Amino acid sequence: MIINVEAVPIEQVEADALVVLGLEKDAGRGAYLSRANELTGGWVDELYASGEFNGKALEIALLHRPAGLKAKRLVVVGGGKTPVDARRAAGTAVRAMKSKGVRSIAFAFDSEAAAVVEGALLGEYEPDRLKSERAKPVDTLTVLGASEQEVRRARIIAEAQNFARDLANEPANLMTPSVLAQRAREMAAAAGLECEILDRDRMTQMGMGALLGVAQGSEEAPALIVLRYKPDSPAGGGHLGLVGKAVTFDTGGISIKPSDGMEKMKYDMCGGAAVIAAMRAIAELKPAVPVTAFIPAVENMPGGRAQRPGDIVRTLSGKTVEVLNTDAEGRLILADALSYARTLGCTHLVDAATLTGAIVVALGHVNTGVFASDEALAEKVLGAAKSAGEKMWRMPLDEDYQEQLKTPFADMPNIGTRWGGAITAAAFLEAFADDTPWAHLDIAGTAWLDDAKPYLAKGPTGVAVRTFIELALGWST
């Protein structure tokens, strides 16, 4: 998509559609909406007076061949009481206009130019790469009142998020752990990142029994992808480690999942996809903190060599784990990845994983669950999420929950009881972060849309990409 930045009156904008933001009545009107009302002889006034448009979030009103404007259509999109989410408003407008064959769209929002660009690019995305007939894209996006610098940054971030969606959208027959490792290697070469791929033999030598135990039921070889970003002039101290779960397909193993909905289990690599994509943007935006990414990639299958419930594995840390449920595999591969990140000198760790159905019970599909062992890091993550426009909610991690992680046969089991399952999963991971400040993002409820939203297509969302980028860019200590 071509993105243009212009500083002209809205009446001079040439586009298939000109989009302005309209808030609810008591919230006032911005300069662009007021000017559109003047040029169209009070059309906006009539919309509000008739109740056809009330400014509620994501409402759309459309005027063809608007008087006084060069644009072929004037679109008003609702921003609610306050324009808190220009991304969603922009994405809604793009998807609505794209469905009508519009190929050039101009946005005249009174603020949030960067968010408009992000939202438009995210809204334009379609998960239809493998369809014979694909949706026709929007060719040109014009943003009024923006700077080239903020548009560049917004584009980098949105394209990274869409890259994560591309990775997660691939079916498991086309996106195996080896393919993911190759995609990461290609991205790293293009972005100027260091890339190392640990194979089965290397992980066996190192003693990553938890990760390898998950992988042993599949014919597909596992991989631990390591990506390194080193700033030219490090500042502020610290070494940020990002860890992403990448189970390219999860049958549940011997503790097999029900067949209903299993096709969606290609999404179990969304945490890893988010980390890889964030590293792509980090390489371009160049924060001052060193960042190393760890993406354990496996396929969890019930093959003849698959681990069994009751098996005991020895992790890289030396701790032993009794595998009570082979469908609780994500925490096993993350355990070894977190331990490895510590050995490489990461001073702070943040992981993202489609880890538990329990977090969906707790928070639905709205908020990502955030767990943390360190208050300062928790504040940084939540602050980055707020800046990035991603909804996240802090969850408890009391020592009392550790009582569920006891077994007479090993240092710990890989599951607790059914109660507080997202918390005990996080408590399991905390044991492998040890004394390193650590935060965990359970994205099981937010990484995938079962139905399209007005602003986003069905399928992978790329959640956590923007938060990771903001976290790195805003890092200070």
Side-chain angles (χ1 to χ4, degrees):
M1 181 190 291
I2 297 171
I3 303 179
N4 299 319
V5 175
E6 293 187 1
V8 297
I10 61 172
E11 56 264 36
Q12 295 180 18
V13 174
E14 296 188 33
D16 291 340
L18 170 67
V19 183
V20 294
L21 189 69
L23 304 181
E24 293 184 25
K25 284 184 178 180
D26 295 338
R29 292 186 187 176
Y32 285 125
L33 185 64
S34 296
R35 182 58 177 159
N37 186 53
E38 293 175 15
L39 292 167
T40 57
W43 176 67
V44 175
D45 287 337
E46 293 176 7
L47 283 177
Y48 280 97
S50 67
E52 182 180 345
F53 180 86
N54 295 301
K56 294 187 181 298
L58 312 186
E59 276 188 321
I60 289 272
L62 172 65
L63 177 65
H64 287 273
R65 301 191 180 281
L69 294 169
K70 291 185 177 180
K72 295 179 181 178
R73 300 168 182 82
L74 175 61
V75 181
V76 185
V77 60
K81 290 183 172 61
T82 59
V84 293
D85 202 338
R87 290 177 190 85
R88 291 189 176 187
T92 297
V94 165
R95 295 192 67 76
M97 292 301 99
K98 179 180 173 180
S99 68
K100 299 180 185 299
V102 169
R103 297 290 167 260
S104 62
I105 302 176
F107 282 92
F109 282 22
D110 291 286
S111 61
E112 302 283 352
V116 168
V117 173
E118 289 181 20
L121 291 174
L122 296 173
E124 210 282 327
Y125 177 90
E126 298 290 347
D128 61 355
R129 189 185 71 81
L130 296 176
K131 294 185 73 170
S132 300
E133 294 186 14
R134 303 183 64 184
K136 291 183 179 179
V138 174
D139 297 322
T140 305
L141 175 68
T142 300
V143 185
L144 302 188
S147 70
E148 295 285 354
Q149 182 177 1
E150 64 183 335
V151 167
R152 174 183 175 272
R153 171 175 160 149
R155 182 168 198 155
I156 290 169
I157 293 171
E159 288 181 348
Q161 187 170 342
N162 283 342
F163 178 56
R165 295 165 81 187
D166 275 338
L167 294 175
N169 191 53
E170 290 287 271
N173 61 319
L174 301 180
M175 182 56 71
T176 64
S178 297
V179 171
L180 182 63
Q182 183 58 31
R183 293 287 295 276
R185 192 191 301 275
E186 292 168 356
M187 181 280 291
L193 297 168
E194 294 181 13
C195 179
E196 182 182 12
I197 310 295
L198 277 63
D199 62 12
R200 191 193 303 270
D201 288 345
R202 177 84 179 278
M203 288 186 279
T204 299
Q205 293 168 5
M206 296 175 66
M208 294 187 180
L211 191 159
L212 293 171
V214 175
Q216 71 188 41
S218 174
E219 293 292 326
E220 297 292 341
L224 178 56
I225 303 162
V226 182
L227 300 169
R228 296 181 178 88
Y229 163 76
K230 297 178 180 178
D232 294 331
S233 302
H239 178 180
L240 178 60
L242 301 179
V243 183
K245 171 189 172 184
V247 178
T248 59
F249 194 78
D250 182 19
T251 66
I254 296 297
S255 307
I256 198 163
K257 295 177 180 291
S259 60
D260 186 29
M262 195 192 288
E263 75 285 347
K264 196 176 86 173
M265 286 292 89
K266 66 179 184 178
Y267 107 122
D268 216 16
M269 55 164 287
C270 283
V275 168
I276 293 170
M279 291 299 289
R280 183 174 107 159
I282 286 168
E284 289 194 74
L285 295 173
K286 301 188 184 307
V289 63
V291 185
T292 304
F294 304 84
I295 303 95
V298 302
E299 193 177 59
N300 188 22
M301 300 290 282
R305 295 181 56 82
Q307 66 182 1
R308 298 145 291 247
D311 283 3
I312 295 176
V313 296
R314 186 173 296 277
T315 67
L316 177 62
S317 71
K319 294 183 177 72
T320 55
V321 176
E322 183 182 16
V323 182
L324 297 182
N325 188 322
T326 65
D327 194 24
E329 85 296 331
R331 65 201 71 182
L332 294 172
I333 68 173
L334 289 172
D336 280 342
L338 288 167
S339 295
Y340 188 53
R342 294 183 68 247
T343 68
L344 293 190
C346 291
T347 61
H348 297 76
L349 297 171
V350 185
D351 75 71
T354 48
L355 204 66
T356 66
I359 199 65
V360 190
V361 174
L363 298 177
H365 297 284
V366 177
N367 278 280
T368 290
V370 178
F371 302 81
S373 64
D374 180 84
E375 292 300 314
L377 182 58
E379 289 180 8
K380 283 185 178 183
V381 171
L382 291 169
K386 186 174 181 179
S387 296
E390 294 192 312
K391 293 185 177 182
M392 298 193 181
W393 192 262
R394 181 84 182 271
M395 298 289 289
L397 197 60
D398 306 352
E399 286 187 12
D400 290 347
Y401 291 102
Q402 293 282 354
E403 291 299 312
Q404 294 190 35
L405 297 177
K406 292 183 177 179
T407 172
F409 306 112
D411 293 325
M412 58 200 309
N414 73 325
I415 58 169
T417 69
R418 63 176 297 192
W419 309 116
I423 303 171
T424 52
F428 178 92
L429 294 178
E430 184 182 15
F432 296 91
D434 203 3
D435 59 354
T436 302
W438 157 86
H440 160 61
L441 311 183
D442 194 333
I443 61 173
T446 53
W448 187 273
L449 290 177
D450 287 324
D451 298 295
K453 298 289 188 182
Y455 50 87
L456 215 60
K458 176 179 179 175
T461 64
V463 72
V465 172
R466 298 202 308 269
T467 295
F468 284 149
I469 297 167
E470 290 292 338
L471 181 63
L473 290 173
W475 197 266
S476 57
T477 57

